[in-house]
Amino acid sequence: AEETAEETAKTKTADQPEAADGAAKAEGAATAASTESQPVEPEVVDQPAEVPEKPLAQAKQSLMYFFWPLILTILYVPAGVIWIAVRYLKYKSQGMVLTNKRLVILKGLFKKKQYMFSLDLAAKAIVTQGFLGKKAGYGTVSIIYQKKEYSFDYVRDPQAFVDACKKAYEDTQDSVTSH
């Protein structure tokens, strides 16, 4: 009877690890299923305490970072303002007037110049327009007199102006022939 009791005790102790292994296996399968949907957290291993991090130096940008943009601004902004001022003065100091007797081109800010052309020369005026001039509606009207070209730039609708010159010339021819 003692032998049977010892065998049963051994069997129970031997069965318990198997039962424990079976439960662990079942738990492991459940854990494996749950780890597929949840990330596994790494184990925390005790490490020696680290020395706290202290900044030793910091690299700062030099003000030379702004040097070239500042130089270009100092050079080009005044140059741009001067250029615009010169263009504006030139714009205000020029003109082209068509009368019933002649075409007058006025130029000059300090030294005023007047170029007067008869209507027959005005009727032969040449229009020049670049790509942008065609799109924006401006161009140059030029008159050639004694192998010299007299031009007026940035004329709004230059072809209409030359057509007006031709019409004025034709009207003077009609009035001369009718008298």
Side-chain angles (χ1 to χ4, degrees):
E2 285 180 20
E3 288 179 1
T4 9
E6 284 179 42
E7 283 178 23
T8 344
K10 284 182 185 176
T11 311
K12 283 186 181 176
T13 53
D15 286 342
Q16 284 177 353
E18 284 178 13
D21 284 344
K25 286 180 185 177
E27 187 179 303
T31 307
S34 67
T35 56
E36 289 176 7
S37 62
Q38 295 177 356
V40 177
E41 293 186 26
E43 289 184 31
V44 178
V45 178
D46 290 334
Q47 295 181 353
E50 289 186 25
V51 177
E53 186 173 359
K54 296 179 193 174
L56 299 176
Q58 182 178 0
K60 293 184 179 180
Q61 286 185 316
S62 168
L63 289 177
M64 291 301 289
Y65 179 78
F66 298 104
F67 179 74
W68 288 114
L70 184 64
I71 292 300
L72 292 175
T73 302
I74 289 170
L75 292 177
Y76 288 117
V77 168
V81 169
I82 291 169
W83 182 57
I84 289 172
V86 167
R87 298 287 292 197
Y88 179 76
L89 290 174
K90 187 176 179 184
Y91 172 78
K92 292 305 269 182
S93 66
Q94 294 184 8
M96 187 163 56
V97 180
L98 176 66
T99 69
N100 61 343
K101 295 185 180 182
R102 65 183 60 99
L103 174 67
V104 180
I105 297 178
L106 307 164
K107 288 189 176 189
L109 182 62
F110 300 112
K111 186 178 179 183
K112 304 277 185 183
K113 293 181 183 180
Q114 281 188 349
Y115 302 101
M116 293 186 222
F117 301 99
S118 63
L119 288 177
D120 65 328
L121 285 174
K124 297 175 188 173
I126 301 167
V127 173
T128 308
Q129 285 182 294
F131 175 76
L132 187 59
K134 287 179 185 176
K135 296 295 179 190
Y138 70 88
T140 301
V141 175
S142 302
I143 296 174
I144 299 175
Y145 179 68
Q146 295 181 349
K147 297 182 181 179
K148 188 171 180 185
E149 183 177 350
Y150 299 90
S151 62
F152 191 75
D153 299 326
Y154 297 98
V155 176
R156 259 188 235 143
D157 198 3
Q159 191 59 52
F161 187 82
V162 170
D163 291 343
C165 291
K166 289 177 183 177
K167 185 174 181 326
Y169 175 68
E170 290 170 1
D171 290 346
T172 59
Q173 292 300 315
D174 291 342
S175 67
V176 169
T177 56
S178 65
H179 288 306

